[in-house]
Amino acid sequence: MDALNAIMTRRSVRKFTEEPVSEADVSTILHAAMAAPSAFNQQRWRFVVVRDSERLAELSEETPYAGSLAGAAAGIVVCGETADERTPGYWVVECSAATENALLAANALGLGAVWLGVAMYDDRIGNVRGILALPDHISPLAMIALGHPAESRDPAARFDADKVHNETWHDAGSGD
Amino acid sequence: MDALQAIMGRRSIRRYEDRPVEEVKVEALVKAAMAAPSAGNQQSWRFVVVTDRERLDKLADASPFAGLLERAPLAIVICGDVTAEKHQGFWLQDCAAATENMLLAAHALGLGAVWLGFYPVEERVEGVRHICELPDALVPFSIVALGYPSEEKPPADRYNAEYVRRETWG
């Protein structure tokens, strides 16, 4: 799939068929995630791949909005290594870039995926930490539900010219 | 360019040719950024496109890592609108996804780009706020420096099997 096409057509897919996702596809998605940029190239992302359907169901129940994980072929939990930081707190940003790469790779592979937010909510972080037995220095950012899509969604037209200004926010251009 | 190739081949490019980036490509870059996912679809990102030489030079002084803007024909400042949030604190993740989309689109369009971090360093944030006349609601998150590349870098193989666990961390 063409790169710009993959970016513009990616949608959140929450319904999946029962077809499994191959290990090769999971590997490609993880390679894509780790190709993201990071501050001083610290690469503080870590990943837990979940395929056990009981564990997926558990993750889906203990986190609001995560119901789609129960019907997913796999889940990838994107975590950050928070110890020894040169740039405190910035792991959230790096792991977000990695998550976006993973979603785009999934779309390019013909898979469906959705980004389920965990970080910023202490209760969700605690639940996910418990289910995955994450040590204190590994913090979950997001979960990706992954599978073969059972729904087809048109590209979203999110472009909004009012959100783009020239030179300064108070430009006299079309953005105002 | 193939999508996976774009993701795997993207590198931080800091040297550019001395020629402008066409308006149609600038538009494609912000469109790609706005195609990112966001928490509750809140789309908290905002963009300031800078091509004025003097302003680029000022931005170059706003961070110890932004000096290369003195030689870049284009910078796009990505800001978060903290008043647009449905899910508090998620603007960082929204803007990070948008920034990554922009970097990938740049690579696919034959441009070179690098992500310059500004938030959360207070002096960098205030510097950009002043230079780009940002209202209080907008927090400058990153600047993407852009141009036609005058350096070539091979894909970086960052894959590390030790970073992947199965089912649980233990």
Side-chain angles (χ1 to χ4, degrees):
Chain A
M1 184 185 286
D2 170 71
L4 292 173
N5 199 27
I7 292 170
M8 301 309 293
T9 63
R10 183 215 51 79
R11 294 296 306 271
S12 296
V13 172
R14 295 181 176 82
K15 295 186 198 316
F16 309 102
T17 70
E18 290 185 2
E19 188 181 347
V21 172
S22 71
E23 224 9 74
D25 280 354
V26 169
S27 174
T28 299
I29 289 167
L30 292 171
H31 275 79
M34 292 191 215
S38 57
F40 304 111
N41 200 25
Q42 291 176 99
Q43 306 176 27
R44 287 175 300 202
W45 40 66
R46 304 290 185 269
F47 307 89
V48 181
V49 178
V50 179
R51 285 184 176 277
D52 179 75
S53 57
E54 278 180 33
R55 187 167 284 106
L56 288 169
E58 203 179 347
L59 287 169
S60 83
E61 284 162 16
E62 302 231 10
T63 316
Y65 307 111
S68 54
L69 268 176
I76 298 176
V77 183
V78 183
C79 305
E81 165 61 73
T82 61
D84 298 326
E85 287 201 72
R86 287 176 72 184
T87 48
Y90 213 70
W91 66 271
V92 167
V93 168
E94 297 161 10
C95 290
S96 295
T99 304
E100 177 61 0
N101 271 11
L103 296 180
L104 294 171
N107 188 31
L109 291 166
L111 298 170
V114 59
W115 177 332
L116 306 166
V118 175
M120 308 314 291
Y121 292 115
D122 287 342
D123 53 341
R124 297 187 201 178
I125 293 170
N127 290 344
V128 172
R129 184 184 293 289
I131 295 166
L132 301 181
L134 299 176
D136 287 346
H137 61 101
I138 302 294
S139 201
L141 173 87
M143 303 188 287
I144 300 170
L146 189 65
H148 288 269
E151 60 175 340
S152 166
R153 305 185 71 192
D154 292 333
R158 299 204 184 93
F159 180 72
D160 181 351
D162 288 342
K163 292 180 177 170
V164 187
H165 290 224
N166 291 307
E167 299 301 332
T168 69
W169 193 256
H170 295 293
D171 62 327
S174 59
D176 272 339
Chain B
M1 182 184 288
D2 172 69
L4 293 172
Q5 194 186 333
I7 292 169
M8 309 297 185
R10 180 213 54 78
R11 296 295 307 271
S12 295
I13 298 296
R14 297 182 171 83
R15 295 175 189 280
Y16 315 100
E17 291 179 7
D18 184 21
R19 60 170 164 136
V21 176
E22 299 86 336
E23 188 57 40
V24 63
K25 290 197 175 181
V26 174
E27 194 173 310
L29 292 167
V30 290
K31 280 186 171 165
M34 288 192 218
S38 57
N41 200 27
Q42 63 188 5
Q43 303 177 40
S44 61
W45 40 66
R46 304 290 183 269
F47 306 88
V48 182
V49 177
V50 179
T51 56
D52 178 70
R53 187 69 266 153
E54 265 184 51
R55 186 166 282 105
L56 288 167
D57 289 348
K58 284 181 191 164
L59 288 173
D61 292 333
S63 155
F65 304 101
L68 56 101
L69 284 172
E70 286 180 3
R71 301 179 309 274
L74 169 65
I76 299 180
V77 183
I78 299 180
C79 310
D81 183 343
V82 294
T83 64
E85 289 208 294
K86 291 191 264 184
H87 297 270
Q88 216 182 352
F90 274 86
W91 70 273
L92 267 184
Q93 298 178 43
D94 302 344
C95 287
T99 303
E100 179 62 5
N101 270 12
M102 185 178 287
L103 295 179
L104 294 172
H107 185 56
L109 290 164
L111 299 168
V114 62
W115 176 333
L116 306 171
F118 279 75
Y119 183 86
V121 183
E122 187 67 21
E123 67 208 44
R124 297 186 206 168
V125 166
E126 287 314 309
V128 177
R129 183 186 297 291
H130 177 71
I131 295 163
C132 291
E133 301 172 27
L134 302 175
D136 289 345
L138 299 196
V139 183
F141 167 75
S142 64
I143 293 182
V144 178
L146 290 140
Y148 282 93
S150 70
E151 62 174 336
E152 266 188 59
K153 290 180 168 182
D157 183 9
R158 300 202 182 96
Y159 184 78
N160 185 338
E162 290 177 11
Y163 292 172
V164 182
R165 304 285 174 109
R166 301 286 167 166
E167 299 302 333
T168 65
W169 190 262

